[in-house]
Amino acid sequence: RKEISVVLGASGSGKTTLLRNLIGLLRPQEGDVFCFGDDISTMDEKKLNSFRTRIGVLFQNGALLNSVSVFDNVRIPLEQHTNLPRPVIDAMVHTKLALVELADSGSALPAELSGGMRKRAGLARAIALDPELLLCDEPSSGLDPLTSAALDSLLVSLRDTLGVTMIIISHDIASVRRIADRVFF
């Protein structure tokens, strides 16, 4: 808990497939997948959806909806998975955007953002529900070295600030050296 574990391997070695098994998007051909003490490989859809509210996922491409603002992208999980009043949701979205250094970019569309900003917007959405576990698929992929280092610093800061456990899929050795408490190869 409260550590950053990195799954390191070459492109095409199955890292993203492992991540998909961890969130129940794929079922293992053999064996079991346990998270928070529960076997997610045997959960029905209702239990799996409840389980997924306890984790945040930063997908490799950010997976933002291009037709809505960054603010609305971050708002989506809060609207879908809570019964909070709109003013509370809006305050939480502002907080999450500030945590990822996008406080002034909420009204922008994803296409108007740089690659690093899109990753941070996806990260804000991934932490919207205050997850216990944050899964990141190649967070530094496609970023220049300076932006990648800044994102790594942000991930470490979020771990320390929010106390969130992270599993990060990567093949970037420099990034791994900056952020990892544990490395699985």
Side-chain angles (χ1 to χ4, degrees):
R1 293 190 182 271
K2 300 180 183 180
E3 289 186 348
I4 298 176
S5 297
V6 176
V7 178
L8 178 66
S11 295
S13 64
K15 301 180 304 292
T16 298
T17 300
L18 174 64
L19 183 95
R20 288 181 180 148
N21 275 272
L22 289 173
I23 54 181
L25 292 176
L26 291 176
R27 303 283 181 167
Q29 292 178 358
E30 291 185 44
D32 303 305
V33 179
F34 283 86
C35 190
F36 306 126
D38 296 316
D39 184 356
I40 65 168
S41 60
T42 62
M43 288 181 181
D44 62 27
E45 202 61 33
K46 184 177 179 183
K47 286 185 181 178
L48 197 53
N49 285 334
S50 177
F51 160 78
R52 287 182 181 138
T53 64
R54 298 175 67 188
I55 60 173
V57 181
L58 173 59
F59 292 97
Q60 187 170 348
N61 61 6
L64 299 169
L65 298 175
N66 289 322
S67 60
V68 299
S69 70
V70 169
F71 190 91
D72 288 338
N73 266 283
V74 178
R75 184 194 328 232
I76 290 169
L78 293 162
E79 288 180 334
Q80 288 184 347
H81 299 288
T82 72
N83 293 319
L84 297 170
R86 188 172 185 116
V88 173
I89 289 175
D90 289 351
M92 291 176 72
V93 172
H94 284 294
T95 299
K96 302 308 179 187
L97 288 173
L99 281 171
V100 299
E101 302 165 4
L102 288 177
D104 297 328
S105 300
S107 62
L109 293 173
E112 298 170 331
L113 303 177
S114 68
M117 292 172 80
R118 279 192 300 274
K119 296 272 186 168
R120 288 185 283 138
L123 185 56
R125 188 182 57 203
I127 63 171
L129 294 172
D130 296 320
E132 298 169 60
L133 176 63
L134 178 62
L135 306 173
C136 303
D137 188 11
E138 301 278 1
S140 60
S141 176
L143 301 178
D144 64 80
L146 291 176
T147 304
S148 176
L151 184 61
D152 289 343
S153 178
L154 177 60
L155 289 169
V156 171
S157 174
L158 288 174
R159 181 217 38 212
D160 296 342
T161 302
L162 302 177
V164 66
T165 302
M166 296 183 194
I167 298 176
I168 297 178
I169 304 297
S170 185
H171 67 271
D172 182 344
I173 300 294
S175 175
V176 171
R177 286 188 173 134
R178 288 189 292 262
I179 64 174
D181 296 304
R182 298 174 191 264
V183 177
F184 298 92
F185 183 77

